[in-house]
Amino acid sequence: MSRMGSPTLREKAYEAFKERLFSRDIRPGQFLSQRELVAVTGMPLGAIRELIPRLEADGLIKTVPQRGMQVAHVDIDLIRNAFQLRLILEREATVEFCRNAPDELVSRLREEHVSVQREAEKGVTPELLERAQHMDWMFHDTMIDSMGNSLISSVYRVNSIKIRLIRQGDTRMLPELVTSVMREHMRILDALVARDERAALEAIEAHIDVARRRALGV
């Protein structure tokens, strides 16, 4: 962010790149030129040139000699590495959240999940699917951010982009997964409400392992 608090052109370009990635206008493994990035993001060439080093540092693109820039592609190494990092960070965050999260926050998160779970039992509409997906991301982000460590939050956000790249294949929130994902979250939340660290860790580990296995197809 700039000193005035408004996003810079490079930051806007980064957000535009993410949006196009998540909407599948930019695909994993795709080769792109700078001018193609200008066209697909709608950002000026200068902003794209400033953006590229950040995307390279985050591992979202790499320069391939004589071929151009390649968007990170989903393979077994990416899946294993991204989920291993996610597990390491979320285990620490779960313990911290279990010990220090305000009761009212934990209760509110649980109530929101109960509401979605009940609606899902009657049928998953597109609106409910979108809400459940947002709740899924928000729940994990909330626990990570509760640690109050901006470096960890930043690393987690970049890794989340890679997780969402993977989710374009087998781990995105599908209608038939809403109930099971909410059930997994409820196990975590029930343990958090009880302030049971061991149960919370077991639940978060099981939840991440299910997503990892789905991505690996095992």
Side-chain angles (χ1 to χ4, degrees):
M1 300 287 282
S2 69
R3 270 184 255 176
M4 296 298 294
S6 58
T8 64
L9 268 180
R10 185 177 71 169
E11 288 164 345
K12 289 180 179 178
Y14 191 83
E15 291 303 313
F17 179 87
K18 288 197 304 180
E19 288 173 8
R20 299 301 179 271
L21 202 59
F22 299 155
S23 65
R24 304 191 185 191
D25 294 322
I26 298 174
R27 293 185 172 271
Q30 180 179 354
F31 282 91
L32 290 165
S33 67
Q34 289 186 10
R35 296 206 173 272
E36 285 172 328
L37 276 174
V38 167
V40 76
T41 62
M43 300 301 297
L45 182 59
I48 294 300
R49 285 175 174 161
E50 290 186 18
L51 170 67
I52 289 169
R54 180 176 176 184
L55 294 177
E56 289 179 321
D58 287 350
L60 297 175
I61 65 168
K62 66 177 180 179
T63 301
V64 180
Q66 301 180 345
R67 295 200 64 184
M69 296 174 296
Q70 185 182 26
V71 180
H73 64 281
V74 176
D75 57 16
I76 289 178
D77 283 342
L78 177 64
I79 294 170
R80 287 177 174 165
N81 293 344
F83 277 97
Q84 182 180 35
L85 178 57
R86 180 185 175 187
L87 180 61
I88 290 169
L89 296 179
E90 292 203 38
R91 287 185 88 258
E92 185 70 21
T94 299
V95 171
E96 190 78 17
F97 200 75
C98 192
R99 292 175 180 174
N100 300 315
D103 290 340
E104 58 270 22
L105 173 58
V106 179
S107 296
R108 177 174 59 79
L109 289 170
R110 190 181 185 283
E111 288 169 6
E112 290 171 352
H113 279 75
V114 168
S115 176
V116 169
Q117 194 172 30
R118 285 174 178 166
E119 289 185 50
E121 290 170 357
K122 301 174 185 176
V124 179
T125 63
E127 184 276 332
L128 180 61
L129 179 62
E130 184 177 351
R131 184 147 57 95
Q133 182 67 87
H134 176 74
M135 184 179 294
D136 183 18
W137 296 329
M138 180 273 297
F139 173 55
H140 294 281
D141 287 350
T142 297
M143 287 205 296
I144 287 290
D145 291 344
S146 72
M147 299 176 72
N149 187 317
S150 60
L151 181 57
I152 288 176
S153 291
S154 178
V155 170
Y156 184 81
R157 291 298 193 280
V158 173
N159 195 58
S160 290
I161 296 172
K162 296 170 185 175
I163 295 288
R164 288 178 67 174
L165 268 181
I166 296 165
R167 284 183 169 177
Q168 288 187 359
D170 294 320
T171 63
R172 66 189 185 280
M173 182 80 81
L174 298 171
E176 58 269 28
L177 293 179
V178 171
T179 300
S180 61
V181 169
M182 290 300 107
R183 191 180 301 121
E184 291 165 21
H185 278 199
M186 286 298 295
R187 282 188 60 209
I188 301 166
L189 284 161
D190 285 343
L192 292 173
V193 168
R195 303 294 177 175
D196 187 334
E197 289 182 25
R198 174 179 285 186
L201 279 173
E202 289 176 353
I204 195 71
E205 288 168 358
H207 176 54
I208 294 173
D209 188 57
V210 167
R212 182 186 64 84
R213 287 176 175 274
R214 192 181 302 125
L216 289 170
V218 299

